[in-house]
């Protein structure tokens, strides 16, 4: 039965044949502190040369007085309106045996249930076998320490495999959690990763958090994700934030308190089995065939 919301062109379009596709998704807005999650998707689109696949009609889901369209100049002359919406692209990472679908969305202003149902309909057409959702949130964490990652999985085995700290959050939710739930209800295995952005430096960009999310994508896809200049950007970001914090004694003392608390938690959670498992995953990705003699992939931000 044809969805009444589909245009004639969309209804007649035949979805491409993909190989064991996995979907990686992020939404701008409430779920995207420091733009860290959406930046991770943009990075993958560029690094893996993704091509357009699908675009939602924004009229049904966005209030343009809240999420406004933007004007762009083409060739410095022609003005073009770009409407806020949600798009899918597809790519085949070098050396990978499967396709990766990338979903870059904007949290809708209305009709969330219809929005999620429509996205699930599209990923079912593509034969997506696993969904990975990425989010970032403000938290009491020090910018000088490893980025805390929490999340949830469709079952306890997946949670253990990806070393997830199961989220215990209860309260108001964003579109990311709703979309994740719709995927699980449709029988599509889904893993959700949430990375922390220090609340005292919440403005974009947040390269350290973006890099942490990409490392988690590596774990699920079991291939190396090219990170380009993100490590260098992370070092510069840490140095800049540290210099700003040192200029205010109260902020500097607060950061030190966060560092001490984070170090105590890290020491409590660290164990030999966890370290060995992480090292084995690292070696497996770096020595997998198809990445060249040096085990490194190309790509840039």
């Amino acid at each position: 039965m044809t969805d009444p919301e589909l245009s004639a062109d969309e209804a007649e379009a035949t979805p491409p044949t993909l190989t064991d596709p996995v979907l990686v998704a992020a939404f701008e807005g409430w779920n995207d502190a420091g733009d860290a999650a959406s930046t991770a998707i943009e990075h993958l689109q560029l690094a893996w040369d993704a091509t357009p696949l699908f675009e939602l009609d924004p009229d049904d889901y966005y209030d343009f007085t809240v999420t406004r369209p933007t004007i762009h100049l083409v060739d410095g002359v022609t003005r073009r309106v770009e409407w806020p919406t949600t798009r899918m692209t597809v790519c085949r990472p070098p050396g990978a045996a499967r396709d990766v679908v990338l979903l870059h969305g904007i949290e809708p202003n209305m009709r969330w249930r219809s929005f999620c149902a429509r996205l699930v309909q599209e990923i079912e057409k593509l034969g997506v076998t696993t969904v990975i959702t990425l989010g970032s949130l403000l938290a009491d964490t020090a910018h000088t320490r490893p980025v805390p990652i929490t999340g949830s999985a469709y079952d306890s085995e997946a949670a253990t495999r990806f070393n997830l700290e199961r989220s215990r959050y209860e309260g108001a939710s964003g579109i990311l959690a709703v979309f994740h739930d719709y995927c699980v209800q449709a029988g599509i295995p889904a893993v959700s990763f949430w990375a922390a952005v220090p609340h005292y430096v919440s403005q974009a960009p947040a390269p350290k958090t973006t890099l942490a999310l990409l490392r988690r994508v590596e774990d699920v896809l079991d291939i190396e994700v090219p990170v380009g200049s993100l490590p260098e950007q992370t070092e510069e970001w840490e140095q800049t934030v540290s210099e700003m914090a040192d200029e205010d004694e109260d902020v500097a003392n607060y950061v030190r308190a966060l560092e001490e608390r984070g170090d105590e938690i890290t020491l409590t959670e660290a164990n030999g089995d966890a370290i060995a498992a992480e090292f084995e995953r690292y070696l497996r990705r770096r020595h997998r065939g198809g990445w060249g003699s040096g085990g490194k992939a190309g790509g840039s931000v």
Side-chain angles (χ1 to χ4, degrees):
M1 181 176 181
T2 302
D3 189 325
E5 292 185 354
L6 291 174
S7 67
D9 291 339
E10 289 174 319
E12 294 174 0
T14 302
T17 301
L18 304 180
T19 302
D20 190 23
V22 60
L23 180 135
V24 186
F27 295 91
E28 298 177 18
W30 190 84
N31 316 267
D32 193 28
D35 295 348
S38 60
T39 299
I41 298 296
E42 292 173 348
H43 175 89
L44 293 176
Q45 289 174 331
L46 291 173
W48 286 337
D49 194 23
T51 58
L53 190 61
F54 170 77
E55 179 177 308
L56 278 177
D57 183 343
D59 286 355
D60 295 323
Y61 307 109
Y62 298 99
D63 178 350
F64 299 132
T65 65
V66 177
T67 307
R68 291 187 177 273
T70 55
I71 302 293
H72 295 278
L73 289 178
V74 181
D75 299 327
V77 178
T78 306
R79 290 164 60 85
R80 183 180 66 189
V81 178
E82 182 172 332
W83 297 94
T85 190
T86 293
R87 299 179 175 90
M88 288 184 188
T89 56
V90 64
C91 55
R92 174 68 69 89
R98 70 194 313 180
D99 292 300
V100 176
V101 178
L102 301 171
L103 173 61
H104 185 177
I106 301 174
E107 186 173 71
N109 306 116
M110 62 191 81
R111 302 184 67 197
W112 282 25
R113 290 179 295 180
S114 174
F115 177 86
C116 291
R118 177 61 189 281
L119 291 180
V120 168
Q121 179 187 54
E122 292 302 320
I123 65 178
E124 285 180 329
K125 288 181 184 178
L126 296 170
V128 168
T129 57
T130 304
V131 169
I132 309 167
T133 60
L134 307 179
S136 50
L137 73 165
L138 300 180
D140 291 331
T141 182
H143 70 281
T144 55
R145 294 299 187 259
V147 176
I149 300 281
T150 60
S152 59
Y154 63 98
D155 61 20
S156 58
E157 180 181 352
T160 301
R161 176 184 174 190
F162 301 120
N163 193 28
L164 283 174
E165 301 174 13
R166 299 299 297 273
S167 174
R168 299 181 181 277
Y169 174 77
E170 294 180 323
S173 179
I175 193 63
L176 196 69
V178 178
F179 175 61
H180 183 275
D181 183 66
Y182 265 68
C183 290
V184 173
Q185 294 301 320
I188 304 172
V191 179
S192 180
F193 294 111
W194 285 85
V197 175
H199 71 86
Y200 56 88
V201 57
S202 59
Q203 66 273 21
K208 187 171 185 175
T209 305
T210 294
L211 184 59
L213 287 170
L214 290 174
R215 294 305 188 197
R216 286 297 194 167
V217 173
E218 277 193 328
D219 288 341
V220 181
L221 298 184
D222 203 20
I223 60 174
E224 184 179 10
V225 172
V227 296
S229 62
L230 277 172
E232 291 76 18
Q233 293 178 33
T234 295
E235 290 181 6
E236 293 174 2
W237 177 83
E238 281 195 30
Q239 181 178 352
T240 300
V241 176
S242 294
E243 289 173 353
M244 291 190 299
D246 289 342
E247 293 176 358
D248 187 308
E249 184 177 355
D250 290 337
V251 174
N253 289 334
Y254 178 66
V255 172
R256 280 193 290 272
L258 291 177
E259 289 173 339
E260 292 172 0
R261 186 176 68 181
D263 291 344
E264 290 175 0
I265 295 174
T266 300
L267 288 172
T268 300
E269 294 178 345
N271 63 75
D273 291 340
I275 294 172
E278 177 61 27
F279 187 61
E280 288 175 1
R281 285 197 296 270
Y282 174 87
L283 291 178
R284 185 170 60 250
R285 289 195 298 266
R286 268 61 185 174
H287 294 289
R288 183 176 296 275
W291 291 98
S293 59
K296 295 293 183 180
S300 59
V301 177

